């Protein structure tokens, strides 16, 4: 069975865009900094999809908008 990092490196190499899904309540805890660093080195674009945005305040959402780009907020509950 291939190692985790071997699979990750192949996915990064073969992808045109990486989508990282983050939990709006725990943005920093749900990020994978190691993979983000590999994407920077590989010059691959990343899109941050911030899920469960209905569970955080508008103030927090405004703060997030300043730090993570490009990003999109989604909420399955509020469509």
């Amino acid at each position: 069975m291939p190692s985790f990092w071997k699979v990750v490196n192949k996915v990064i190499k073969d992808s045109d865009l990486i989508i990282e899904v983050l939990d709006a309540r725990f943005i920093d805890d749900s990020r994978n900094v190691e993979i983000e660093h590999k994407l920077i080195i590989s010059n691959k674009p990343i899109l941050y999809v911030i899920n469960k945005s209905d569970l955080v305040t508008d103030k927090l959402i405004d703060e997030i908008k300043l730090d993570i780009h490009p990003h999109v907020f989604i909420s399955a509950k509020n469509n």
Side-chain angles (χ1 to χ4, degrees):
M1 179 181 338
S3 73
F4 171 76
W5 287 113
K6 187 173 184 178
V7 172
V8 168
N9 289 330
K10 180 166 177 20
V11 168
I12 290 172
K13 180 179 177 268
D14 294 344
S15 299
D16 295 325
L17 170 71
I18 303 295
I19 297 172
E20 185 172 10
V21 180
L22 306 174
D23 188 318
R25 300 168 297 172
F26 313 105
I27 297 269
D28 290 333
D29 293 336
S30 55
R31 289 178 74 180
N32 191 317
V33 180
E34 281 183 86
I35 291 178
E36 290 175 15
H37 181 70
K38 286 182 173 287
L39 294 172
I40 292 168
I41 291 171
S42 301
N43 200 30
K44 296 285 184 164
I46 184 168
L47 173 63
Y48 297 97
V49 176
I50 303 169
N51 192 21
K52 301 183 181 181
S53 61
D54 59 305
L55 300 178
V56 295
T57 64
D58 290 339
K59 181 181 177 186
L60 180 61
I61 287 174
D62 289 339
E63 291 174 6
I64 294 167
K65 287 181 183 178
L66 299 174
D67 295 339
I68 299 174
H69 296 286
H71 62 269
V72 62
F73 288 92
I74 62 169
S75 167
K77 181 180 177 183
N78 296 333
N79 296 324

